[in-house]
Amino acid sequence: MPHLSIEYGAGVEDKVDVPAFLAAMRDAIVAAPGDFPVGGTRVRAHRADHVVVADGGAHEFMHMIFRIGAGRDLATRQAAAEAVYTAAEAHLKPLIGDGSFALSFELVVMDSDTSIKRWNTIREYL
C-alpha cells in the first residue's frame, strides 16, 4: 500500500515530464527499504493552478505525501523516506536547474484500523 501523492505548481510542467517523473517515483518506491510491492504502489500527481508561494513571485514547488501501511520500524521508514526523496531530487535537479523551487516530502503511516482495502483485483493482472 505505498501511495505517493504529489502536488505541484503549474510552471513545473514547463520543465518536467510529469508522467516520466511518476514512473521514476514508482521505481524508487519499489526499490526503497520497507518491502513495498509493485501491486500496491500508486503514484499520482495533481497540478495546483492557483497558488501563492512566498512573496508571490515566480516560485515553483512540489510537495509529496507518501502514505504507507503500518508495521515498519522508524529506521526503515526514515530510510524509505530518504530513498524516495533522494530519487525525486536526482530526477528534478537537472530539469529545474537554479530556478526558485521548493521540494518537500512527508511520510504518513496509515492507521490499519481505519484503512479499508477490500476490493483490489490489480494483483490478479500482474
Side-chain angles (χ1 to χ4, degrees), residues 9-110:
V12 168
E13 290 181 351
D14 294 338
K15 297 181 178 182
V16 177
D17 177 346
V18 175
F21 178 69
L22 300 185
M25 292 299 88
R26 184 226 23 243
D27 295 346
I29 290 167
V30 172
D35 191 29
F36 300 111
V38 70
T41 302
R42 311 283 185 277
V43 182
R44 54 190 168 263
H46 306 278
R47 187 176 82 182
D49 289 324
H50 306 285
V51 300
V52 176
V53 177
D55 62 356
H59 313 293
E60 288 301 333
F61 76 97
M62 184 176 284
H63 179 65
M64 301 185 293
I65 302 173
F66 187 39
R67 292 179 179 87
I68 65 171
R72 294 166 184 89
D73 64 21
L74 177 60
T76 301
R77 294 191 316 267
Q78 288 173 323
E82 184 62 37
V84 175
Y85 186 92
T86 298
E89 263 185 330
H91 189 97
L92 295 170
K93 276 187 177 183
L95 303 173
I96 300 292
D98 294 331
S100 181
F101 180 76
L103 177 64
S104 57
F105 178 96
E106 62 184 294
L107 185 147
V108 176
V109 177
M110 301 298 293

